[in-house]
Amino acid sequence: MTKKNPLKVADRYLLSPHDLGPAELEKVFRHLMRHDIDYADLYFQYSRVEGWSLEEGIVKSGSFSIEEGVGVRAVSGEKTAFAYSDAITLPALLDAAHVTRAIAAAGERRRVAVAPRKTCPRFYSGDDPLASLEDRAKVTLLERLEHFAREADSRVTQVMANLAGSWEVVLVARSDGVLAADVRPLVRVSVSVLLEHGDKRERGSAGGGGRYDYAYFTDERLRAYALEAVHQASVNLDADPAPAGTMTVVLGPGWPGILLHEAIGHGLEGDFNRKGSSAFSGRLGEQIAARGVTVVDDGALPDRRGSLSIDDEGTPGGRTVLIEDGILTGYMQDLTNARLMGVAPTGNGRRESFAHLPLPRMTNTYMLNGDRDPAEIIQSVKKGLYAVNFGGGQVDITSGKFVFSAAEAYLIENGKITRPVKGATLIGNGPDVLTRVSLIGNDMALDPGVGTCGKDGQSVPVGVGQPSLRIDGLTVGGTA
């Protein structure tokens, strides 16, 4: 595993093949800066992406693509002009620059000299995962995953397994002279099983990944994914209908942090707060959560799915404390919203590709540990619900209202986990639910590396996490 020099890799894939260098980039910026704009940037991207899908022991589908292009952005006040091209050539760049100048009036000519940014910390290898296994070995990997699932339970009647990998090179050139690059690997495996017993059928799923190559998926890890998927389906096969009503809910560690991501995280992104459309707008310094609740967004975790050495605007990835001991202390910022709000960017400017504008987005968002033993939290509940895993959900950013479905849940009766239940949905309000946290476990865990976040039609990889949490008085919708 090597940590390649990103600027050298970016030059090899994005500049040199197209006869571009610092002089040509400066020419584009001179063209842009003839007009009175606050800021401009160029975002170059080269990516290789593949996907493999296996069902009933047969590879049913596969895909491979190579994409490259450049986005050109100019910003004046709150106005943004943007153009992109999948042709990385000087004429295409100049044409795009000409289009973006339409938002500004003529102004004083300013000279821009691009120069490499000082070396940024590197949080993952630059190795290409697609080249880390032969194609036959990738199929074998999926076949092993199916074998582990069928071996785990004779009631498994269907297995679907997927393998995905990408290798991305990005280069950001900015009108303030910054030139920064990143080389980003990303892999993911997922497995879904169908269990049948009599006239009952249930599905379970699991998976994981991160900024690794395919060597990450050892037999031990693949077996763990298969066992988790089978366990989830098996639990629901024997589950009772979930009760409904207001009750105490205990959330398990790790992936249940997706509720935190959706119900609270989006509301702490800079654009929603600058525009006043978030339930958390104008509340910096206020007590918005129970004491002991500390939430961070951290793009600097090694090898995690949501980590970024630099964001998609060239700002180094880092750790931002959003809520500290219940007090709202910050928002996640890209360059534009940070400038308009008079604060520093936090490394959260993200975009799906060169054809999209950057937005303030989460990276790895999680709650820090408390001091309670998870067993003690369960024992403290006379009657309630223990939610271990989540499926889909919906959130309204303005009001903070959310609805989430539990993929695996159990009743808690007299301080003990008892019967599994299915069909449970958690209903609440993000700002309100934080105030209802009464106990925080010491077992913080991050998700296995499966998260994808959507916003304004763009999808980006993210991470979530939390310790076990006791939340009092949460509304549960059930089927009982």
Side-chain angles (χ1 to χ4, degrees):
M1 184 178 291
T2 57
K3 292 192 175 181
K4 306 176 188 298
N5 184 315
L7 283 166
K8 290 183 178 178
V9 177
D11 180 73
R12 177 184 172 188
Y13 283 90
L14 292 166
L15 298 182
S16 292
H18 308 290
D19 297 321
L20 296 175
E24 286 73 26
L25 299 186
E26 289 171 19
K27 183 175 182 179
V28 176
F29 280 115
R30 286 198 302 271
H31 196 64
L32 278 165
M33 307 306 282
R34 288 174 185 166
H35 282 58
D36 188 18
I37 61 175
D38 297 319
Y39 172 84
D41 62 14
L42 313 175
Y43 179 83
F44 298 85
Q45 180 188 34
Y46 171 92
S47 62
R48 289 203 292 262
V49 181
E50 71 173 1
W52 299 78
S53 178
L54 181 140
E55 185 177 347
E56 302 303 322
I58 302 170
V59 174
K60 293 283 182 79
S61 65
S63 62
F64 175 79
S65 64
I66 296 177
E67 187 176 35
E68 65 178 16
V70 59
V72 180
R73 176 175 61 150
V75 180
S76 178
E78 294 189 19
K79 297 185 295 183
T80 298
F82 178 69
Y84 68 90
S85 171
D86 55 9
I88 303 178
T89 65
L90 183 57
L93 282 166
L94 292 173
D95 285 346
H98 179 75
V99 171
T100 60
R101 285 165 44 196
I103 67 166
E108 181 181 353
R109 180 178 297 187
R110 288 172 283 172
R111 186 176 185 277
V112 177
V114 294
R117 175 185 282 281
K118 291 180 181 178
T119 302
C120 296
R122 309 276 301 289
F123 306 128
Y124 35 81
S125 157
D127 293 341
D128 180 359
L130 280 66
S132 65
L133 274 185
E134 297 291 335
D135 288 351
R136 177 61 248 180
K138 295 168 188 174
V139 174
T140 301
L141 184 155
L142 293 176
E143 290 172 341
R144 292 203 311 274
L145 187 55
E146 180 189 41
H147 169 74
F148 294 143
R150 292 189 179 279
E151 184 182 55
D153 195 312
S154 60
R155 296 174 296 175
V156 172
T157 59
Q158 185 185 63
V159 179
M160 292 182 288
N162 296 278
L163 175 68
S166 66
W167 188 72
E168 180 181 74
V169 182
V170 301
L171 178 71
V172 181
R174 303 191 333 204
S175 59
D176 59 3
V178 166
L179 185 68
D182 199 9
V183 182
R184 302 169 180 168
L186 191 65
V187 296
R188 174 176 168 168
V189 150
S190 60
V191 58
S192 173
V193 302
L194 178 67
L195 260 66
E196 295 187 18
H197 184 71
D199 59 352
K200 294 182 179 180
R201 288 178 157 196
E202 290 290 344
R203 287 198 176 274
S205 60
R211 296 200 179 279
Y212 307 96
D213 62 24
Y214 290 136
Y216 177 74
F217 299 120
T218 62
D219 276 0
E220 180 182 8
R221 191 163 272 120
L222 294 176
R223 183 178 281 108
Y225 297 153
L227 289 175
E228 182 181 348
V230 170
H231 169 75
Q232 186 184 113
S234 179
V235 165
N236 285 319
L237 207 59
D238 300 322
D240 297 328
T246 300
M247 64 185 72
T248 298
V249 175
V250 177
L251 303 181
W255 180 245
I258 189 64
L259 187 149
L260 183 78
H261 168 104
E262 294 288 1
I264 295 125
H266 280 297
L268 298 179
E269 292 168 340
D271 51 352
F272 296 127
N273 288 281
R274 178 178 65 81
K275 298 171 185 176
S277 60
S278 167
F280 297 102
S281 297
R283 301 189 64 187
L284 284 176
E286 292 186 17
Q287 182 89 34
I288 65 165
R291 292 291 182 186
V293 172
T294 297
V295 178
V296 302
D297 183 84
D298 193 349
L301 298 176
D303 303 318
R304 298 299 305 180
R305 181 173 171 84
S307 294
L308 296 170
S309 295
I310 60 168
D311 71 4
D312 295 325
E313 298 179 304
T315 304
R319 185 175 187 266
T320 302
V321 179
L322 304 171
I323 302 170
E324 186 168 14
D325 197 21
I327 305 294
L328 179 59
T329 58
Y331 302 125
M332 291 165 279
Q333 302 286 5
D334 62 349
L335 287 174
T336 296
N337 287 282
R339 176 176 55 81
L340 293 171
M341 294 177 75
V343 297
T346 57
N348 289 92
R350 307 192 64 186
R351 58 178 107 197
E352 181 176 320
S353 77
F354 67 88
H356 298 83
L357 278 168
L359 302 167
R361 306 289 299 273
M362 285 172 273
T363 58
N364 304 298
T365 311
Y366 56 96
M367 185 183 295
L368 300 190
N369 265 331
D371 59 0
R372 297 303 183 100
D373 185 283
E376 178 189 354
I377 295 176
I378 297 295
Q379 290 164 7
S380 73
V381 179
K382 181 174 178 61
K383 183 177 181 181
L385 186 78
Y386 179 45
V388 179
N389 210 334
F390 282 103
Q394 293 182 330
V395 180
D396 183 296
I397 301 299
T398 302
S399 66
K401 293 180 180 178
F402 64 80
V403 179
F404 277 90
S405 61
E408 182 182 348
Y410 304 83
L411 292 181
I412 304 175
E413 298 173 299
N414 297 316
K416 295 182 179 179
I417 297 171
T418 58
R419 294 169 291 156
V421 293
K422 61 183 177 180
T425 58
L426 304 187
I427 304 166
N429 176 284
D432 176 66
V433 77
L434 286 177
T435 67
R436 296 179 178 274
V437 174
S438 59
L439 296 176
I440 304 174
N442 59 9
D443 58 343
M444 198 285 286
L446 297 170
D447 78 283
V450 297
T452 298
C453 174
K455 178 180 177 180
D456 286 0
Q458 296 189 43
S459 296
V460 295
V462 295
V464 301
Q466 66 173 45
S468 294
L469 298 177
R470 171 175 163 156
I471 303 174
D472 296 328
L474 193 59
T475 301
V476 177
T479 53

